[in-house]
Amino acid sequence: MPKVAMRVNGRAVSGEVEGRTLLVQFLREGLGMTGTHVGCDTSQCGACVVHVNGVPVKSCTAFALDLDGAEITTIEGMANADGSLGRVQQAFQDHHGLQCGFCTPGMVMSAAALLAENPTPSEAEIRTYLEGNICRCTGYHNIVKAVLAASGQDPATIAAE
Amino acid sequence: MPKDGIGAPMKRREDLRFLAGDGRYTDDINLHGQAYVWFLRSDVAHGRITRLDTAAAAAMPGVLRVITAEDFAHAGGMITAWQVTNRDGTPQAEPKHPILAEGKVRHIGEPIAGVVAETLEQARDAAEAIELEIEELPAVVDMAAALAPGAPKLHEDIDSNLCFDWGFVDDNKAKVDAAFESAHHVTTLELVNNRCVANAMEPRAAIGLYDRPMDHYTLYTTSQNPHVIRLVMGTFTLQIPEHKLRVVAPDVGGGFGSKIYNYNEECFVTHAAKLVGRPVKWTATRSEAFISDAQGRDHVTKIQLALDKDGMFLAFRTETMANLGAYLRLFATVTPTYLHGPAAGGPYRTPVAHVHVKGVFTNTVPVDAYRGAGRPEGSYQLERVVDKAAREMGIDQAEIRRRNFVKPEEFPYQTPMAVVYDSGNYHATLDKLLELSDYAGFAKRRAESEARGKLRGFGFSTWVEASGLAPSRLIGALGARAGLYESATVRVNPTGGISVLTGTHSHGQGHETVFAQIVADKLGIDAGLVDIVHGDSDKTPFGMGTYGSRSAAVGGSAIAKATDKIIAKAKKIAAHLLEASDADIEVADGKFTVAGTDKAVDWATICLTAYVPHNYPMETLEPGLEETAFYDPANFVYPAGAYGCEVEVDPDTGAVTVMRFVAADDFGVVLNPVVVAGQQHGGIAQGISQALLEHTVYDESGQLVSGSLMDYAILRAGDVPGFTVDHSCVTRCEHNPLGVKGCGEAGAIGAPPAVVNAVVDALQAGGYGIKDIDMPLTPSRVWAAMHEG
Amino acid sequence: MYAFDFVRPKTVAEAVKALAAEDAQALGGGQTLIPTLKQRLAAPAVLVSLSGIAEMSGVSLSGGTLTIGGGTPHATVAKEARAAYPALAALAGGIGDPAVRSRGTIGGSLANNDPSACYPAAVLGSGATIVTDRREIAADDYFQGMFATALEPGEIITAVRFPVPEKAHYEKFAQPASRFALVGVFVARTGQGARVAVTGASADGVFRWAEAEKALSGGFSAAALAGLAPPTGDMISDLHGSAEYRAHLVKVLTGRAVAAA
Ligand SMILES: Cc1cc2nc3c(=O)[nH]c(=O)nc-3n(C[C@H](O)[C@H](O)[C@H](O)COP(=O)(O)OP(=O)(O)OC[C@H]3O[C@@H](n4cnc5c(N)ncnc54)[C@H](O)[C@@H]3O)c2cc1C
Ligand code: FES
Ligand code: FES
């Protein structure tokens, strides 16, 4: 079987995979990192979003072998060095931006990607950017608040119209 | 007061693991030596299996066994939990629901065989090698067609496709007819409550494990109610005694009703683990979820409202056909009947009402409870017809509601629908809505929209629901086959930490935080001392799980009751240590004090004394500090709310944009305002999603046309604005110890009619004479309705 | 997914060679192909990933022509074409969601030619040229109906050359579930007149709306369209919208696109 090597959350990893092994399978089954979730089979839900070389990617829609040598960040790599929640994660807890937690890893990764691109997004920009992340629990209200807060903006500004 | 007691906005503790990627959902669990199953499912909606040859598949690489209905010859069908009685006194029809198809397939996606193999792909490869021939039979998808004489019949063992013909309250029928005769005005509305696919973000999964020496089974599953699964699957279907079966529902990624039922796949992996001698794992793909998860709603209704000249409601009657799909799942028959009928009365003083429902089998995926279960269907028709009546009679939408509301002083209020509303203040929530939504400023906003070429509408929905399932004696009289009490064990450890074991299950609701607040509040200790354990039938006392907005009202009450028992015993220990009478002991801030003195012992001392009973009233008290309580509610709880939705409609495209959504709810006592608001948001989003987007479409042959997220739309972040939610109007529940009502389903019940009424309002204001339009209000449907003339 | 071998060549030449193998198929960003493989609707023996081919990626402007490498992801086009061809950049930035745009490529989109895809409208609406490993194909010759193109087996789109129009705009009305175009209209005013390309609406895939082009060539304003009947032809009818609705949207969106250009 072919071999793949990449860096995941700063750690060099490698393993044997098949041609058809998806990045998410390599993470979950190969590396035992089950923080990244699979919520669909049509690339729509975003539960599986990770960062590949700094940009958001649906790990269910990328082959591990295609990412040989890539730098991957997953939800498990978002905490601070001391193990406490990172900025975006903490904002999600502070603003009740999650309920069942299933969409959460993908949401946090997408939100972090947005903030890397656009440090102070507007509410509309946040909502548009999260287009590919479905949450069935929260109605998005508190997710948007959390992202606003993580960007240092006042989450109370979220409002109708 | 402890800082994280009842009412405190405590941050959720479960979030720490979810945010770190450390959640443990069923698919995250891998057992040593596990094999995988792939199901061969029917690709036709109705047919006779004429050939099923698994020999070639069984010989494929990696295959451990191909399992078919024959392997379940010993097993019963999957059961339904409620027996509805027909109007003529006979029981509902209950055809067998087999785990794997027995000779016939009745809906798309029905499992026919399961291939267990070393890897999932091998199982799937082999499933393709199964030789299957199905003689296709004509399918019925439409309910009227299914009931027509000569319709293709799904089940040979029953007379027709009719499951039940039920009337509620049938005694009212004559009075209702009389009221209609004398009415000044009658408003009639025919509508469809669209079928929804729950689509919890975590697809269902199940792992079966069998311990041969102990003859013991374990099932890990994505369930809202592990004990219920153990009871119904073990006892009725697989015939495994409960002590030989453990059901674990670890972290579960949302349920919304779709994870209540005991599913085919759960039964399959449990038994398959024994057949192959290995753990067997199944994880649904989303595509499989669309054809195997129970779906929701799907009612076709005609409702009529009789009014006097002042717009006072005299009576209403409704005729509904409820699509049950091909088989009965657990709550299939109670949802369109007893969960639907009482809610159809709403917050109004309508003196008499009659609800008539026919449950119909069709060649579609089985339908069962979905967030709100029956109550959204009831509220939707009532709030739509009230809206229409107000338009027809020229009465303001808020006014017609206010006039007809049960008055605050009239509680407890006996409705004509057999239930008694214990408390409420519908005027207060409506006033709150008008204030928060700036209803007075609507005309100005409408003018602004019009200046931009958009039509603007405001829609109301004032609703009440019966939740907090459920008083066992009452539901037993109505046909329930189970009780719906809840259990809790409060286990105090020797050094003062507490484990609370609950029979409910948290899959997003935040029990691990909120339930700790209840115990902390009562004992006056830090919530950090309290942990909540749920989801494992081996650990928690027998309980009924989480649905029907019951966890706080029933499960929380059980915890309160068990904590009261702890306090009673702790007082005795304190009394002994303080040489006082236990009647004189008061509890506050974690201290047990002799009233009026400064003599006190702290919590830690009490706990240690209970477990190291050197100085202890051994003659009258057992050592230890652990109590279990079962709480059976005296009544349902009746949360209520007033919702306002403001939309803009683009007349060129029919696109609807939600501009504002305001919810003023009365949930009784609020245990944690942040968690409650989260439930409001989520429910409202699901309601808006049903109203605008969710479209489950079967073609005539029973194929599911909208069978993936490519065609089945679910609300996204960009589809809605922020919501304004309020729960400051509080009337305590009069019969449970916490004073709480349910909040989990509220939004899904109240939102859809508000959205649709808003669109109707916008279109009418724009001069389009539309009285009627059905969900989902997709742009194309709205545009078509505008141009039908 | 069925099993396959995976190769990741470094040059177009190597890729062409790899694609000559039996049942070999190109992999762009995989945003269409991978879901298809998951459903077991395709069974290639070899997947030839184009993601490692540096010469196929990038955006460059020369004269009035913007050239986009066939392997360039949508996100890169959204960013790097913004100054030179804002309408195209906006279109790319509106495809799917950020994660899809990180991987999905222009070459993959055009090779696939989904009847609801966005890029085909821009390519046809701009009169672009598809450059492959072996030839150049004018947009008008390239699209041959739903999921059908002029590409030969094993042919790789290495670049797309867009003549930058004077003005242009893409107006998309999203299908509520997939968020592809229920209808999308790309309008451009060029030296040779107006072009109007419509995606999402027709069962024949992307098409040019000749009557609208004619009307706009007389005067590039929404008012010029007022008298036009919606286009006829084989409009798609499905649960998201009837043929009549789609035809109506084409007209509405064309007007909006012209006004916004
Ligand atoms: C959630 C989601 C939303 C989307 N929304 C939109 C949308 O709004 N609008 C839209 O237009 N698209 C949308 N897409 C599709 C997206 O744009 C895809 O990127 C595109 O259709 C395919 O590009 P790809 O690079 O991923 O190709 P692949 O999926 O890798 O390949 C697609 C096909 O093209 C072939 N191919 C790939 N590259 C080349 C090449 N260079 N030369 C020749 N053949 C090649 C492959 O063999 C395959 O047959 C969406 C996709 C998803 C998953
Ligand atoms: S799992 Fe749904 S997009 Fe990846
Ligand atoms: S928190 Fe449950 S899906 Fe988002």
Side-chain angles (χ1 to χ4, degrees):
Chain A
M1 273 207 286
K3 262 205 138 91
V4 68
M6 49 182 89
R7 290 181 72 82
V8 177
N9 300 330
R11 187 166 62 94
V13 299
S14 62
E16 289 196 341
V17 294
E18 291 185 276
R20 61 184 166 181
T21 304
L22 298 164
L23 174 60
V24 70
Q25 291 172 319
F26 181 62
L27 293 171
R28 288 179 59 85
E29 292 157 30
L31 303 178
M33 295 172 63
T34 56
T36 302
H37 296 157
V38 175
C40 75
D41 50 0
T42 52
S43 310
Q44 238 108 15
C45 76
C48 62
V49 170
V50 301
H51 297 177
V52 175
N53 302 325
V55 299
V57 164
K58 291 180 169 170
S59 62
C60 74
T61 318
F63 290 114
L65 283 173
D66 221 8
L67 300 173
D68 194 46
E71 186 81 44
I72 313 285
T73 308
T74 71
I75 188 69
E76 288 95 340
M78 295 300 282
N80 297 322
D82 66 357
S84 61
L85 294 181
R87 178 173 58 126
V88 180
Q89 292 168 310
Q90 188 59 56
F92 270 68
Q93 191 200 18
D94 291 347
H95 297 279
H96 189 27
L98 63 151
Q99 292 183 21
C100 79
F102 198 79
C103 72
T104 308
M107 280 291 177
V108 168
M109 298 313 290
S110 282
L114 166 63
L115 297 181
E117 231 176 79
N118 178 356
T120 52
S122 67
E123 179 183 341
E125 285 170 334
I126 295 168
R127 289 185 181 275
T128 306
Y129 196 91
L130 296 177
E131 166 86 21
N133 292 82
I134 300 179
C135 174
R136 197 57 156 160
C137 297
T138 63
Y140 307 101
H141 185 100
N142 286 340
I143 291 174
V144 175
K145 264 173 94 166
V147 181
L148 280 169
S151 70
Q153 305 181 82
D154 179 5
T157 58
I158 177 174
E161 296 186 68
Chain B
M1 274 297 287
K3 79 173 184 345
D4 289 323
I6 287 174
M10 184 180 174
K11 284 185 202 167
R12 294 204 330 167
R13 313 189 296 187
E14 43 271 76
D15 290 359
L16 296 177
R17 68 173 183 279
F18 294 145
L19 282 162
D22 289 335
R24 188 166 180 261
Y25 300 86
T26 301
D27 189 54
D28 299 342
I29 297 170
N30 292 301
L31 301 180
H32 183 67
Q34 88 193 355
Y36 299 82
V37 56
W38 179 267
F39 289 101
L40 173 68
R41 295 178 184 275
S42 179
D43 59 2
V44 302
H46 198 190
R48 215 177 303 284
I49 299 171
T50 52
R51 186 169 127 91
L52 179 61
D53 185 340
T54 60
M60 298 272 289
V63 174
L64 299 173
R65 185 161 178 151
V66 183
I67 294 172
T68 64
E70 283 173 28
D71 295 294
F72 287 96
H74 70 293
M78 291 171 290
I79 65 154
T80 193
W82 204 292
Q83 184 189 296
V84 166
T85 302
N86 291 316
R87 301 174 67 195
D88 65 7
T90 58
Q92 69 191 18
E94 282 186 63
K96 183 177 181 189
H97 187 179
I99 297 164
L100 295 173
E102 292 175 353
K104 227 187 137 179
V105 289
R106 299 183 177 85
H107 69 85
I108 198 85
E110 180 166 4
I112 296 168
V115 181
V116 181
E118 296 289 348
T119 72
L120 186 60
E121 297 289 359
Q122 286 174 331
R124 197 167 172 182
D125 289 342
E128 290 179 1
I130 293 176
E131 293 171 31
L132 171 71
E133 284 167 22
I134 297 180
E135 176 202 333
E136 217 176 323
L137 299 169
V140 274
V141 172
D142 177 72
M143 287 186 276
L147 292 182
K153 209 164 70 136
L154 270 80
H155 298 280
E156 283 64 30
D157 49 343
I158 59 173
D159 294 341
S160 70
N161 294 318
L162 181 70
C163 174
F164 60 78
D165 178 344
W166 173 89
F168 190 64
V169 176
D170 248 11
D171 297 348
N172 286 343
K173 193 174 180 311
K175 281 184 250 166
V176 169
D177 291 344
F180 271 88
E181 302 265 303
S182 68
H184 168 78
H185 183 83
V186 174
T187 296
T188 303
L189 185 62
E190 291 183 36
L191 46 80
V192 173
N193 201 297
N194 48 322
R195 186 185 282 229
C196 296
V197 182
N199 274 306
M201 287 323 296
E202 179 203 23
R204 287 189 299 117
I207 311 172
L209 170 69
Y210 180 65
D211 177 344
R212 191 165 300 281
M214 296 297 291
D215 187 29
H216 186 278
Y217 301 79
T218 303
L219 170 66
Y220 295 88
T221 183
T222 49
S223 177
Q224 301 175 216
N225 31 245
H227 273 290
V228 172
I229 301 300
R230 189 179 70 158
L231 175 68
V232 303
M233 180 180 89
T235 309
F236 297 101
T237 306
L238 294 180
Q239 337 249 313
I240 302 168
E242 284 134 290
H243 66 293
K244 292 293 185 189
L245 174 60
R246 174 183 175 205
V247 178
V248 183
D251 287 330
V252 173
F256 316 111
S258 69
K259 291 174 181 167
I260 298 175
Y261 327 109
N262 172 217
Y263 279 100
N264 316 51
E265 296 86 357
E266 292 171 324
C267 301
F268 182 99
V269 298
T270 305
H271 185 54
K274 180 178 184 177
L275 292 180
V276 303
R278 303 256 297 264
V280 175
K281 181 171 185 173
W282 171 74
T283 304
T285 64
R286 179 63 53 188
S287 302
E288 260 182 311
F290 271 97
I291 51 172
S292 69
D293 288 6
Q295 303 182 347
R297 318 267 194 265
D298 204 348
H299 286 194
V300 175
T301 293
K302 177 178 174 184
I303 181 166
Q304 291 186 294
L305 180 65
L307 304 97
D308 73 9
K309 61 177 186 350
D310 299 322
M312 301 301 291
F313 307 160
L314 302 173
F316 71 83
R317 60 179 165 219
T318 100
E319 299 279 336
T320 288
M321 283 190 293
N323 199 336
L324 305 171
Y327 296 103
L328 298 181
R329 287 216 178 272
L330 218 47
F331 281 163
T333 60
V334 65
T335 295
T337 55
Y338 291 104
L339 292 178
H340 163 239
Y348 309 115
R349 301 161 75 221
T350 319
V352 280
H354 185 240
V355 177
H356 179 200
V357 183
K358 287 181 179 167
V360 187
F361 290 111
T362 62
N363 293 110
T364 60
V365 176
V367 174
D368 216 308
Y370 169 58
R371 200 171 194 166
R375 289 146 290 157
E377 296 90 321
S379 299
Y380 180 69
Q381 46 177 299
L382 184 64
E383 285 307 294
R384 292 284 320 277
V385 80
V386 166
D387 184 276
K388 189 176 180 202
R391 275 175 215 292
E392 287 174 354
M393 294 187 68
I395 304 173
D396 176 77
Q397 293 288 357
E399 177 56 26
I400 196 169
R401 289 173 164 82
R402 201 190 311 270
R403 262 184 223 173
N404 283 285
F405 279 160
V406 176
K407 300 196 173 85
E409 62 274 17
E410 289 174 327
F411 293 94
Y413 179 79
Q414 171 71 55
T415 74
M417 313 303 282
V419 292
V420 178
Y421 297 166
D422 61 332
S423 67
N425 187 342
Y426 309 140
H427 296 76
T429 43
L430 180 59
D431 288 343
K432 183 56 94 181
L433 167 69
L434 296 178
E435 171 203 328
L436 292 174
S437 63
D438 181 25
Y439 186 53
F442 173 68
K444 188 157 161 262
R445 294 193 294 278
R446 171 174 274 171
E448 283 162 9
S449 296
E450 281 168 1
R452 283 184 284 110
K454 298 290 198 293
L455 310 174
R456 196 174 184 111
F458 191 106
F460 283 90
S461 153
T462 51
W463 58 273
V464 59
E465 60 132 339
S467 63
L469 308 184
S472 297
R473 194 184 300 140
L474 172 62
I475 61 167
L478 301 178
R481 289 170 170 152
L484 280 172
Y485 47 80
E486 196 43 84
S487 64
T489 296
V490 175
R491 177 177 297 159
V492 179
N493 298 302
T495 60
I498 300 173
S499 303
V500 177
L501 288 64
T502 169
T504 65
H505 185 276
S506 187
H507 33 279
Q509 296 86 346
H511 296 175
E512 292 171 36
T513 303
V514 178
F515 286 173
Q517 290 179 255
I518 297 174
V519 177
D521 190 86
K522 286 195 153 278
L523 287 166
I525 58 175
D526 191 286
L529 281 175
V530 187
D531 265 4
I532 307 297
V533 179
H534 64 96
D536 185 339
S537 67
D538 264 12
K539 291 184 183 164
T540 66
F542 184 83
M544 300 307 290
T546 289
Y547 41 82
S549 302
R550 69 190 302 277
S551 294
V554 189
S557 293
I559 291 170
K561 205 173 149 192
T563 309
D564 285 340
K565 289 188 184 178
I566 292 285
I567 291 172
K569 185 167 180 183
K571 280 184 175 173
K572 290 189 181 142
I573 298 171
H576 174 82
L577 295 176
L578 298 169
E579 296 174 343
S581 157
D582 56 334
D584 294 335
I585 304 290
E586 288 174 347
V587 198
D589 296 328
K591 277 214 190 77
F592 289 71
T593 310
V594 181
T597 74
D598 57 1
K599 281 174 40 180
V601 282
D602 62 12
W603 175 242
T605 307
I606 300 236
C607 301
L608 199 63
T609 306
Y611 287 95
V612 187
H614 296 164
N615 174 16
Y616 198 81
M618 205 61 84
E619 297 70 26
T620 53
L621 213 55
E622 291 173 12
L625 199 50
E626 171 167 332
E627 298 287 350
T628 294
F630 283 73
Y631 175 80
D632 200 285
N635 190 354
F636 294 94
V637 294
Y638 301 96
Y643 289 5
C645 177
E646 244 173 271
V647 300
E648 266 187 7
V649 178
D650 178 345
D652 293 334
T653 62
V656 175
T657 308
V658 176
M659 307 300 289
R660 299 176 163 219
F661 199 102
V662 181
D665 285 313
D666 174 2
F667 295 136
V669 172
V670 168
L671 300 175
N672 179 324
V674 177
V675 169
V676 166
Q679 292 294 312
Q680 288 174 290
H681 296 149
I684 290 167
Q686 252 166 334
I688 294 175
S689 192
Q690 179 184 8
L692 296 182
L693 297 168
E694 299 192 28
H695 204 9
T696 312
V697 180
Y698 291 89
D699 70 11
E700 276 179 13
S701 70
Q703 294 291 333
L704 181 57
V705 180
S706 52
S708 86
L709 293 175
M710 293 293 280
D711 284 304
Y712 187 89
I714 293 176
L715 197 83
R716 318 259 182 125
D719 294 334
V720 277
F723 306 135
T724 302
V725 299
D726 177 90
H727 42 67
S728 66
C729 298
V730 173
T731 60
R732 282 184 71 94
C733 166
E734 294 290 343
H735 56 81
N736 68 40
L738 296 168
V740 298
K741 305 179 180 180
C743 66
E745 296 163 299
I749 295 167
V755 175
V756 178
N757 288 341
V759 173
V760 171
D761 187 51
L763 295 177
Q764 297 243 325
Y768 298 92
I770 287 157
K771 295 197 179 58
D772 196 16
I773 186 164
D774 279 319
M775 302 187 287
L777 305 183
T778 59
S780 66
R781 279 192 166 189
V782 172
W783 183 82
M786 290 165 73
H787 294 275
E788 262 159 21
Chain C
M1 257 180 264
Y2 296 109
F4 49 77
D5 290 331
F6 193 93
V7 295
R8 201 167 171 230
K10 290 257 174 296
T11 65
V12 172
E14 281 171 35
V16 170
K17 211 156 126 211
L19 281 168
E22 197 169 339
D23 290 331
Q25 185 171 5
L27 174 72
Q31 303 302 291
T32 294
L33 186 51
I34 294 176
T36 310
L37 291 167
K38 285 185 194 172
Q39 305 291 334
R40 294 193 161 200
L41 296 174
V46 186
L47 265 198
V48 181
S49 168
L50 307 177
S51 71
I53 304 175
E55 60 189 291
M56 270 180 63
S57 190
V59 177
S60 63
L61 181 69
S62 154
T65 301
L66 187 75
T67 302
I68 297 177
T72 312
H74 311 328
T76 305
V77 176
K79 215 177 294 160
E80 295 181 10
R82 198 175 294 155
Y85 194 170
L88 182 68
L91 174 144
I95 293 175
D97 57 66
V100 167
R101 295 194 288 272
S102 296
R103 302 281 308 161
T105 66
I106 188 169
S109 177
L110 295 174
N112 192 51
N113 191 21
D114 188 299
S116 305
C118 301
Y119 264 131
V123 168
L124 191 61
S126 308
T129 301
I130 315 268
V131 182
T132 77
D133 59 287
R134 58 201 75 165
R135 59 186 168 142
E136 298 189 355
I137 311 170
D140 286 314
D141 302 327
Y142 177 81
F143 299 103
Q144 305 194 343
M146 194 183 267
F147 297 111
T149 69
L151 290 180
E152 293 163 0
E155 188 169 5
I156 300 172
I157 298 176
T158 54
V160 185
R161 285 206 302 263
F162 290 88
V164 179
E166 296 162 11
K167 294 173 138 187
H169 185 79
Y170 178 62
E171 191 74 23
K172 172 179 175 182
F173 193 89
Q175 193 257 59
S178 72
R179 310 286 164 129
F180 277 67
L182 182 66
V183 174
V185 179
F186 193 95
V187 300
R189 192 178 79 188
T190 74
Q192 291 80 47
R195 289 178 77 102
V196 178
V198 178
T199 188
S202 169
D204 295 330
V206 66
F207 70 95
R208 285 173 68 183
W209 186 15
E211 290 82 2
E213 290 187 353
K214 203 163 139 224
L216 292 171
S217 295
F220 197 81
S221 77
L225 299 166
L228 283 188
T232 50
D234 198 1
M235 292 287 149
I236 300 171
S237 193
D238 61 16
L239 70 135
H240 304 292
S242 63
E244 187 197 6
Y245 180 65
R246 278 191 166 81
H248 167 78
L249 278 186
V250 172
K251 183 168 174 195
V252 172
L253 299 181
T254 305
R256 289 183 180 179
V258 170

